[in-house]
């Protein structure tokens, strides 16, 4: 099948090149708009209790609208409650208040509530209520911000969903550009070193340049229908660079090898596609399956990365199997033009034979296979130790603190968390459904008792609701019976503000309570409060309880992630094992491949916790630890790394299997396969490490941690796993490497994916190739 595909592409090579380039150019036009349609949210599980609470607040309490938070600080006035300070704030906000998109303000001037004043008394914040949804506020964010003019001697910062989304998109693009500027020159240098030819080295970069815009264009299309995370932009580009370059590296290397063996250009294209191209197709399927495991998660922050990553993989495979062989067919031997070996020859210096490099890797393989147990045991011990920090994993849903300092919306958010009383803007929201009248004495007593039990929980400062009323003279909370007496008064005789409390906290038989906690809702300690509240016993008068708010959304996301994770991991492992079985017709190879990949992943997971959760190397990597591992990062890394490791597994084992089918000698086949692929794998790994490490320069901790973790995983996989563990285990397994039970073996043989072309001795120039299996 792959042989015939190679022949077809070669036959129509000029048409294929023109069509694929036009397709990529069209994609480039759309890709420039992709960042604008991505979301910084996506951490809400739509089927969760917290999502239900959000919906009820929007429907029953008139919520669901977005808001802005303006933080004011005077450089001259130290008392934010003073008339002069508040007058300056009012003057600054006046143009906003007059705008039709603004429905009102909530601040110290409106409420006289000290919560709007910082602990030091020199800052104040104002809630600007909008007649816009969160998504609508993103588009209007810049226009609204332009209406806010800081008065003389006063600083103002704006945060909220709209500003945070705009700033995160801009920061993601800045991180992406920085990574590309750093990684592309390094990748080019590595490719030149691997190929020793400028033309050959340019091929993988050209394929990457076509794949990434096309993938981002498709992401733009998908984002019109479903919510796509802003992190898709970085991860898609990261993957696109690595995969497109890797796949092209495999095919170009095999094409040049076939030319050196005396093949015609047509046959060289066919054999490159039939061998390396088949490995690329199957490894691409493996990567896509790994990423598709993220679709088991309901939160868009994870599922959209699975969608975006799979799109990138498919685009990389598409251009590697169409554009690349077509261009190679047009170039022919000119792919070796501008080579260093030719330059050395013209200077009268001998060329470095490729066989010398092969012999070095053969010696390494034979040395490992001479003492497989002595290699296997210490290497496994090192990997287990490296992965051990993962046992201390604590996950938290990221908030604005993962963005870099200096970003206005992030700094304003951090100011709210650190300079003001904690938790005021992120309370735990509790909806109580009561059986009687919401304001009769029995209900008020039951709700008051429940609120007292809530306040007794460690981590809850106070509970606010319709019955949290203080004596205006003493400031002491009124007992339940006095509160009931106030609500029993006719509407015209009630104290000022009582009806406003009813409007804010009561809807028919539903009462809302806000539990204020000083613990940040993203921290594991903050999310741990949610199940404690949900498990509380409630008075019989309260029929139902639901808990929402930021902490509850974080808790529900983690719970949903934990429920989906076994399915995502299990399906990925089984599907990848099936692909390896179909490709190699062996039962041992899939089991070994899965275990080896898990070992490389465990080491990177340990590094993820040790570095980013526990803060080691934070100075070197220039980040401020948040005290937890970003939720979703481990499963994202698992999906990506598991698929990527299959690249090297498929490429290495394909060459080993070719040699084994020809010679029947297990040790010699392993040594030959390693010798013929180690240089390519090393080059590919260096490129991947360079690309991923460049994303370690990102200022968003989420992307930085993924980049560092994946760079470590690839480095471990390409060195310790492929060079040491694979030869050692294959030596111990011997001929069992290629065994499969009778029925399974016959199935794999009938499907034909495991067929390989016999590789005879190098033919003389012009000699025709032997007949090959149609399965190619």
């Amino acid at each position: 099948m792959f042989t015939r595909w190679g022949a077809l592409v070669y036959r129509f090579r000029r048409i294929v090149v023109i069509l694929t380039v036009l397709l990529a150019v069209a994609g480039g036009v759309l890709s420039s708009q992709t960042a604008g349609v991505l979301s910084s949210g996506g951490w809400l599980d739509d089927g969760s209790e917290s999502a239900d609470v959000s919906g009820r607040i929007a429907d029953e309490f008139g919520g669901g609208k977005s808001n802005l938070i303006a933080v004011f600080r005077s450089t001259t006035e130290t008392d934010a409650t003073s008339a002069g300070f508040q007058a300056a704030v009012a003057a600054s906000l006046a143009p906003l208040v007059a705008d039709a998109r603004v429905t009102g303000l909530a601040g110290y001037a409106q409420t006289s509530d000290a919560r709007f004043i910082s602990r030091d008394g020199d800052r104040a914040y104002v809630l600007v209520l909008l007649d816009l949804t969160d998504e609508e506020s993103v588009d209007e964010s810049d226009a609204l911000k332009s209406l806010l003019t800081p008065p003389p001697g006063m600083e103002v910062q704006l945060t909220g969903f709209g500003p945070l989304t705009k700033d995160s998109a801009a920061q993601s693009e800045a991180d992406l550009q920085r990574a590309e500027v750093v990684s592309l020159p390094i990748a080019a240098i590595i490719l030149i070193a691997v190929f020793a030819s400028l033309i050959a080295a340019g091929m993988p970069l050209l394929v990457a340049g076509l794949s990434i815009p096309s993938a981002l264009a498709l992401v733009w299309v998908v984002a019109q229908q479903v919510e796509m995370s802003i992190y898709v932009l970085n991860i898609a580009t990261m993957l696109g660079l690595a995969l497109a370059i890797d796949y092209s590296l495999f095919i170009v290397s095999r094409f040049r090898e076939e030319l050196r063996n005396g093949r015609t250009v047509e046959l060289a294209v066919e054999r490159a596609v039939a061998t390396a191209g088949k490995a690329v197709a199957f490894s691409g399927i493996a990567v896509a399956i790994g990423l598709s495991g993220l679709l088991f998660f309901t939160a868009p922050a994870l599922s959209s990365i699975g969608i975006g990553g799979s799109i990138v993989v498919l685009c990389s495979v598409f251009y590697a199997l169409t554009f690349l062989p077509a261009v190679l067919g047009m170039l022919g031997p000119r792919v070796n033009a501008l080579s260093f070996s030719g330059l050395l020859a013209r200077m009268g210096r001998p060329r470095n034979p490729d066989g010398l490099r092969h012999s070095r890797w053969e010696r390494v393989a034979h040395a490992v296979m001479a003492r497989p147990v002595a290699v296997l045991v210490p290497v496994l011990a090192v990997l287990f130790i490296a992965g051990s920090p993962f046992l201390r994993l604590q996950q938290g849903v990221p908030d604005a603190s993962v963005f870099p300092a200096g970003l206005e919306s992030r700094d304003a958010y951090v100011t709210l968390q650190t300079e003001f009383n904690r938790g005021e803007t992120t309370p735990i929201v509790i909806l109580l459904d009561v059986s009687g009248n919401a304001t009769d004495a029995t209900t008020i007593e039951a709700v008051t008792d429940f609120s007292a039990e809530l306040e007794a929980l460690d981590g809850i400062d106070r509970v606010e609701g319709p019955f949290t009323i203080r004596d205006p003279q003493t400031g002491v909370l009124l007992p339940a019976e006095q509160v009931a007496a106030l609500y029993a008064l006719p509407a015209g005789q009630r104290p000022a503000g009582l009806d406003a409390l009813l409007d804010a906290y009561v809807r028919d038989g539903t009462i809302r309570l806000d539990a204020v906690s000083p613990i940040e809702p993203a921290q594991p300690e903050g999310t741990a409060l949610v199940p404690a509240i949900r498990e509380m016993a409630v008075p019989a008068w309260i029929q139902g309880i639901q808990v929402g708010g930021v902490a509850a959304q974080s808790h529900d996301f983690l719970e949903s992630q934990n429920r989906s994770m076994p399915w995502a991991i299990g399906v990925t492992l089984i599907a990848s094992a099936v692909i390896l079985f179909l490709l190699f017709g062996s039962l041992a190879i899939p089991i070994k491949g899965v275990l080896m990949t898990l070992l490389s992943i465990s080491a990177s997971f340990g590094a993820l916790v040790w570095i980013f959760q526990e803060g080691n190397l934070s100075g070197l990597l220039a980040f401020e630890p948040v005290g937890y591992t970003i939720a979703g990062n481990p499963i994202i890394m698992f999906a990506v790394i598991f698929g990527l490791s299959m690249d090297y597994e498929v490429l290495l084992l394909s060459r080993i299997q070719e040699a084994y089918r020809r010679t029947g000698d297990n040790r010699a086949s392993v040594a030959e396969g390693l010798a013929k692929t180690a240089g390519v794998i090393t080059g590919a790994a260096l490129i991947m490490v360079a690309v991923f490490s460049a994303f370690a320069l990102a200022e968003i901790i989420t992307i930085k941690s993924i980049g560092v973790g994946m760079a470590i995983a690839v480095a471990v996989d390409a060195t310790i796993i492929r060079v040491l563990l694979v030869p050692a285990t294959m030596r111990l397994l011997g001929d069992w490497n290629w065994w499969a039970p009778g029925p399974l073996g016959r199935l794999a043989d009938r499907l034909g994916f495991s067929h390989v072309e016999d590789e005879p001795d190098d033919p003389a120039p012009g000699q025709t190739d032997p007949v090959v299996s149609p399965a190619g």
Side-chain angles (χ1 to χ4, degrees), residues 503-747:
D503 184 61
Y505 289 105
V506 178
R507 286 296 182 277
D508 298 326
T510 300
I511 297 172
R512 169 180 171 170
L513 300 178
D514 289 341
V516 178
S517 170
I519 305 173
E520 292 184 26
Q523 293 286 345
E525 295 84 357
T527 57
L529 286 170
V530 175
I533 295 173
R534 288 173 175 169
E535 292 167 5
M536 287 178 57
V538 296
W541 207 251
I542 299 175
Q543 292 182 318
I545 174 174
Q546 287 186 305
V547 181
V550 177
Q553 291 170 4
S554 299
H555 173 270
D556 290 344
F557 172 85
L558 293 173
E559 287 292 301
S560 173
Q561 175 188 256
N562 293 338
R563 287 194 304 270
S564 302
M565 197 173 295
W567 289 97
I569 293 174
V571 169
T572 300
L573 295 180
I574 292 171
S576 299
V578 169
I579 288 173
L580 289 176
F581 169 75
L582 293 176
L583 187 55
F584 297 109
S586 161
L587 195 61
I589 291 296
I591 296 173
K592 178 184 69 64
V594 167
L595 292 177
M596 295 295 174
T597 302
L598 290 176
L599 285 172
S600 65
I601 290 175
S602 68
S604 66
F605 279 4
L608 185 71
V609 172
W610 188 77
I611 296 172
F612 290 96
Q613 178 176 305
E614 299 177 354
N616 296 290
L617 305 182
S618 58
L620 178 64
L621 294 172
F623 72 93
E624 184 177 340
V626 293
Y628 55 84
T629 297
I630 304 296
N633 274 13
I635 191 61
I636 291 171
M637 286 175 55
F638 170 84
V640 174
I641 294 169
F642 195 90
L644 291 179
S645 69
M646 290 298 150
D647 282 354
Y648 307 138
E649 183 80 4
V650 169
L651 182 68
L652 174 58
L653 293 178
S654 295
R655 295 309 293 262
I656 293 175
Q657 188 185 47
E658 286 183 38
Y660 184 77
R661 292 284 181 93
R662 190 178 69 250
T663 66
D665 186 327
N666 181 65
R667 293 184 64 172
S669 300
V670 172
E672 180 182 329
L674 186 64
K676 288 191 173 182
T677 59
V680 175
I681 288 176
T682 302
L686 285 173
I687 291 170
M688 276 203 181
V689 169
V691 171
F692 295 152
S693 296
F695 280 89
L697 300 174
E699 296 190 64
I700 300 176
I701 296 177
T702 306
I703 299 301
K704 182 190 290 284
S705 58
I706 290 177
V708 170
M710 293 204 299
I712 293 172
V714 169
V716 169
D717 192 82
T719 54
I720 296 175
I721 302 296
R722 303 301 152 203
V723 176
L724 298 177
L725 287 189
V726 169
T729 54
M730 294 192 77
R731 167 68 177 86
L732 292 173
L733 288 171
D735 292 338
W736 287 97
N737 283 303
W738 312 107
W739 175 84
L744 289 178
R746 288 191 293 273
L747 173 63

Side-chain angles (χ1 to χ4, degrees), residues 448-463:
T448 301
D449 290 344
F450 180 75
S451 298
E453 291 182 24
L454 267 178
E455 289 184 346
L457 289 176
D458 288 339
I460 300 295
D461 270 1
R462 70 179 190 279
V463 176

Side-chain angles (χ1 to χ4, degrees), residues 127 203 243 372 436 478 580 638 706:
L127 204 63
M203 292 296 100
L243 289 177
L478 298 179
L580 289 176
F638 170 84
I706 290 177

Side-chain angles (χ1 to χ4, degrees), residues 231-272:
Y231 298 124
V232 170
L233 186 69
N234 300 81
I235 292 176
T237 304
M238 188 190 308
L239 272 177
L241 280 171
L243 289 177
I245 291 174
D246 267 13
Y247 293 161
S248 304
L249 182 62
F250 298 162
I251 293 175
V252 173
S253 296
R254 188 60 184 252
F255 175 75
R256 297 176 79 209
E257 180 182 332
E258 296 300 333
L259 288 179
R260 286 196 303 270
N261 289 342
R263 314 292 181 200
T264 63
V265 173
E266 180 178 1
L267 289 175
V269 169
E270 290 179 18
R271 288 177 68 89

